């Protein structure tokens, strides 16, 4: 890791030196301070959401569900999350699908993804559709699957999860 950091610092120093050499003489623009090396910067991610947003509810569900599956397996917490976020009809359909396919119907897979992303797709007639992109594998060669999730706008509960196409 420190070898990579050293290479990055050397590349940054070389780039800054090259810029200083090629800058026009007598330029009146003030040079911006050099950025700190990548390993020294601290970026604090933030997350947010709204309680009245169907898209945020889907994102909260998938984030919580993946945490529960990763931490505890498919136990009581995953069932409680399903009961809270999914309609009873969807839970029944997922149970049938899971028995037939021997996989997790929420994820449409046997394994657990390493990341997720939720994006608004459309809304009409009391429903909202979101696209969920699940990332599998490591950062070197990630693979993605996509789901199309339907939510009821009155209850904000998820009423359908289907395989989706990449958009």
């Amino acid at each position: 890791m420190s070898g990579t950091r050293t290479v990055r610092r050397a590349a940054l120093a070389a780039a800054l030196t090259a810029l200083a050499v090629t800058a026009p003489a007598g330029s009146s623009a003030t040079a911006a301070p050099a950025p700190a090396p990548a390993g020294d910067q601290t970026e604090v991610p933030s997350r947010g959401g709204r309680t009245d947003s169907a898209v945020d509810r889907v994102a909260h569900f998938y984030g919580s569900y993946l945490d529960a599956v990763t931490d505890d397996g498919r136990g009581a917490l995953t069932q409680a999350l399903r009961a809270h976020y999914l309609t009873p009809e969807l839970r029944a359909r997922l149970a049938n699908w899971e028995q037939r396919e021997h996989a997790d119907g929420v994820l449409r897979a046997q394994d657990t993804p390493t990341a997720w992303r939720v994006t608004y797709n459309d809304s009409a007639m009391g429903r909202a559709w979101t696209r969920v992109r699940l990332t599998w594998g490591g950062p070197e060669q990630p693979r993605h699957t996509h789901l199309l999730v339907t939510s009821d706008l009155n209850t904000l509960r998820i009423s359908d999860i289907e395989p989706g196409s990449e958009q």
Side-chain angles (χ1 to χ4, degrees):
M1 171 97 169
S2 66
T4 304
R5 186 176 294 159
T6 303
V7 170
R8 278 195 240 150
R9 285 182 181 167
L12 178 62
L16 290 174
T17 303
L19 285 174
V21 170
T22 60
S27 172
S28 61
T30 3
D40 294 343
Q41 293 178 338
T42 303
E43 183 179 319
V44 179
S46 64
R47 305 287 190 271
R50 295 181 48 93
T51 57
D52 61 349
S53 167
V55 175
D56 288 345
R57 295 276 298 201
V58 171
H60 295 159
F61 170 67
Y62 271 90
S64 299
Y65 190 81
L66 290 178
D67 285 346
V69 170
T70 301
D71 294 347
D72 300 324
R74 290 169 175 84
L77 181 55
T78 58
Q79 294 308 312
L81 288 167
R82 285 178 177 222
H84 181 74
Y85 284 96
L86 309 181
T87 64
E89 297 81 14
L90 176 58
R91 290 196 312 270
R93 287 195 313 272
L94 288 177
N96 289 335
W97 187 92
E98 290 169 342
Q99 187 169 3
R100 187 176 62 249
E101 301 294 331
H102 305 286
D104 186 314
V106 168
L107 304 174
R108 298 293 178 170
Q110 293 177 333
D111 295 326
T112 305
T114 56
W116 52 270
R117 183 178 73 190
V118 175
T119 307
Y120 171 80
N121 188 68
D122 198 4
S123 59
M125 299 173 48
R127 295 186 179 137
W129 290 271
T130 51
R131 294 209 173 270
V132 176
R133 183 183 81 172
L134 301 174
T135 302
W136 308 86
E140 301 83 35
Q141 292 185 326
R143 297 177 328 279
H144 303 289
T145 58
H146 298 86
L147 303 171
L148 183 62
V149 176
T150 307
S151 299
D152 180 301
L153 290 176
N154 290 326
T155 64
L156 297 178
R157 293 179 99 187
I158 297 170
S159 59
D160 201 11
I161 301 172
E162 293 291 330
S165 60
E166 182 178 351
Q167 234 184 351

